[in-house]
Amino acid sequence: MAKLLSIRVRLLLLLLVPSMLYLGTSVFLLQQSKSNTEVLASSLYETTNKSTSLILNADRDMYQALTAYQLLVSGTLTAEEKTKQLKALKDNIDQTNTRVGQAADIMNAKQLLQTAHTETKLTIEQNIAGFHTSFDQWAKEANAVVQSSSTGKGIINDAKLLATFEKGREGMNQIGEILDAYAKSSIEEIEAQNDKTAKTIYLSVAIIIILLMSAGWMVISKIMKTVKNIMKVTGQVAAGDLRHEPQVKYTKCELGKITESVDIMVSKIKGLIGTIAHNTQFVHDASVELSDSSKESATASEHVATSIQEMTQDVEVQARSSAETSRAIEEMAIGIQRVAENSGVMAEHSSLTSRHAELGNDLLGKLQQQIVNMLKSVEQLSQTVQSLTLKSDEIGLIASSITTFANQTNLLSLNASIEAARAGEHGKGFNVVANEIRKLASQSIESAEGINQLIHETRVEIASVSNSMNATKQEASAGSSMMQEVNQSFHTIMQSVTHIVTQIHETSAITQQMSASSEEISATMDQSATSSTHILNKSQGVAAATEEQLAMMQNIAAASEQLRSVVDTLNESVSYFKIK
């Protein structure tokens, strides 16, 4: 399965998996903190604070009602003050019942009426019921005493009525104690939940770090192994060593394709250099043979020129002496025969040279095509390296996004710490959560910086590979330019050889005609005087043709020397590489 995944998918998974895990952990932490905060605010503020405040206000109203009752039964009030205190007694009794009822409604909404006292085991509902029983009884008796007593003396210290009042107040105190205990237990549960959440976050972060390091190590190790292998192969090619053997099997990712492209390139260069070495040796042998043939032709042409000059002199002397004419004709026949033989040899060598030149031209065309294919392979490899560089840049952008997210998380935790500090004692638990978030953000920043460092090293290695590919591309371009020059030289040689072959065939025809003429002259000695002028003209034409042939032979010799120089240069370039 791993072989089917490309390097792009692996790198994306390497970043997306820990990012998603980190995001999930952060969302879970934030939601848990929000939930805990809501529970804390609801239970402590709405339930505890409001209920306690109502209970305390009800207790105060009870004392104010007790004070108004004591003043009414003291007998020291005026009629106006008595009316005022009667109203205060009634209002405080009503307010006490109202506030206790409101507190009961709040606790009933929060399902706290069945919460029991830790010592007496009485629930809030039972305490409220006991309060109403005792306080209502006290209020009823107090009103009766106030209405029936004119002075109220002796009623103030009534122990039974005061005991009834204290019994109702005792229920109020127990309700306050129950609410305090509930608030304390709620805080302890929240702290326990926060501890559990912190442990979960620590475990998640540890797992993320382990997965990130393991996956990063595997992918980066594979990349570094491939890059080092390519650097080794390209270094050997740059040093002229083409004895590298390709791998048997390649992976299907981009790294495997890069390695396969490098091996194919080295194999093609190796085959190209081998073909060049073989063909240059063949061309070298042909050029040596052509040079020798041209030298022999030049020697023969010089001999023909000399013979023609002698024949011309003999023709001029023919008018004076028939014997000398006959001897000159015999010498001319011998010279013409040798010219014919040399011309035939020259024609055969020229045809062979032409075929070799055509073969060399075809081989150079194939060589040039192979160099073009090699340049295409180098271009494809360079595009692959550029694609890998762009992907590394995209990974760097993703790592920067992770760093930015971690910095924002750190700032959020700092703001949360400030708000927790403002909350005082009630914000301690939330302050611990904010500190843990800040630690988690710091660890995320360190991990992102590690990823950035690895990406930087990968970019450096990719740049090195790109430089090596550019150097190989320049060398291949130089080889292509050299092949074009050699091809042009071969084209020039082919034109010269074709022209020489044509001239040699013409010379051979002339020498054959001269041979027939000399035989006719030998057979018809009586007509020598008449035909001497014609022979003289023929000999002058042969001399001119021979001089032209001599010049052509010199051109062939010069072209052969140039061809040999080109072949020597090509051999020197090819000898730089080692293929065996």
Side-chain angles (χ1 to χ4, degrees), residues 4 17 29 156 218 253 315 396 426 436 443 471 494 516 522 578:
L4 298 178
V17 170
L29 179 61
I156 298 177
M218 291 175 62
C253 63
V315 171
H426 299 293
E436 294 302 327
Q443 292 176 358
M494 286 182 63
S522 297
K578 300 175 184 178

Side-chain angles (χ1 to χ4, degrees), residues 28-135:
F28 172 78
L29 179 61
L30 292 175
Q31 292 295 331
Q32 190 66 31
S33 299
K34 183 178 179 180
S35 177
N36 292 338
T37 303
E38 291 176 354
V39 171
L40 181 63
S42 177
S43 62
L44 295 182
Y45 177 71
E46 294 182 3
T47 303
T48 307
N49 288 352
K50 288 185 178 180
S51 300
T52 303
S53 178
L54 290 171
I55 295 298
L56 291 175
N57 289 330
D59 186 64
R60 182 197 59 190
D61 292 336
M62 287 177 64
Y63 272 108
Q64 290 179 354
L66 179 61
T67 303
Y69 166 73
Q70 291 174 345
L71 290 175
L72 287 171
V73 299
S74 64
T76 60
L77 300 178
T78 62
E80 183 179 356
E81 290 175 348
K82 185 177 181 180
T83 302
K84 183 177 180 181
Q85 292 301 323
L86 282 172
K87 186 176 183 302
L89 176 62
K90 183 178 181 303
D91 291 341
N92 287 321
I93 291 173
D94 292 339
Q95 289 177 1
T96 300
N97 289 323
T98 299
R99 284 171 177 165
V100 171
Q102 291 175 352
D105 292 338
I106 293 174
M107 289 182 287
N108 184 33
K110 298 299 180 179
Q111 298 180 355
L112 297 178
L113 293 179
Q114 301 302 321
T115 305
H117 195 273
T118 56
E119 295 180 357
T120 62
K121 305 302 180 180
L122 295 176
T123 63
I124 294 178
E125 185 177 11
Q126 292 173 344
N127 282 304
I128 292 176
F131 161 76
H132 283 301
T133 300
S134 300
F135 184 71

Side-chain angles (χ1 to χ4, degrees), residues 4 7 14 95 294 314 512:
L4 298 178
I7 292 299
L14 178 64
Q95 289 177 1
S294 63
D314 291 339
Q512 289 177 1

